Amino acid sequence: MHNIELTSKETSYLLALWQLEEDKQKLSTGKLAKIFNVKAPSVIDILKKLESYGLVKRIPWKRIKLTKRGNYLALNIIHNHRVLEVYFNKFLSLDKETSCKEASKIDYLVGTKLIEKICKILNYPETCIHGKPLVHTKCVK
Ligand SMILES: [Zn+2]
Ligand SMILES: [Zn+2]
């Protein structure tokens, strides 16, 4: 299931899709183009990459679906992101915006062991700094 090395850009697209789904929105090329302020062809380039890794499926009418694998990977990275930003904000007293930005730079790279240690120190917070749910399915409590 592992060993896909996503670039930072591919990760942002995967997470944006996951978050659209979390917000019960439709996943489309147009939405991504808007979020990243790029033209549709650049979105499609990234989507093709993600599709080749088996993380998303492009379906008719410019709609997109996350695969089971894509969903699993996104959930993992989202967990890391939210844990890191809580840590930066609460422990290092960085403001929310900086915490979120810095977390985005490493959330897809950081190792499970480190993240689990941070989760423990933070006592498994239930929400991130934006008030979104933080689910610790894989963390040993
Ligand atoms: Zn964030
Ligand atoms: Zn956790």
Side-chain angles (χ1 to χ4, degrees), residues 79 83 115-116 119 124 134-137 139:
H79 166 262
V83 169
I115 280 292
E116 282 179 3
C119 281
Y124 309 97
L134 219 175
V135 189
H136 302 274
T137 25
C139 300

Side-chain angles (χ1 to χ4, degrees), residues 55-125:
L55 301 175
V56 304
K57 232 180 140 46
R58 291 186 300 141
I59 48 180
W61 307 106
K62 295 186 175 151
R63 300 279 300 280
I64 308 148
K65 247 178 72 153
L66 283 173
T67 63
K68 212 174 154 189
R69 187 182 198 183
N71 204 55
Y72 178 86
L73 186 64
L75 202 65
N76 240 320
I77 302 171
I78 288 279
H79 166 262
N80 296 351
H81 176 89
R82 294 183 175 170
V83 169
L84 288 167
E85 66 187 2
V86 170
Y87 182 72
F88 295 158
N89 182 243
K90 298 268 156 72
F91 263 69
L92 309 180
S93 306
L94 289 174
D95 62 65
K96 284 187 184 176
E97 205 195 322
T98 312
S99 301
C100 183
K101 218 170 91 195
E102 291 300 319
S104 299
K105 291 182 188 164
I106 54 171
D107 52 16
Y108 66 108
L109 299 169
V110 80
T112 318
K113 285 225 168 93
L114 173 60
I115 280 292
E116 282 179 3
K117 282 234 165 14
I118 301 176
C119 281
K120 199 171 175 186
I121 287 175
L122 295 172
N123 196 23
Y124 309 97

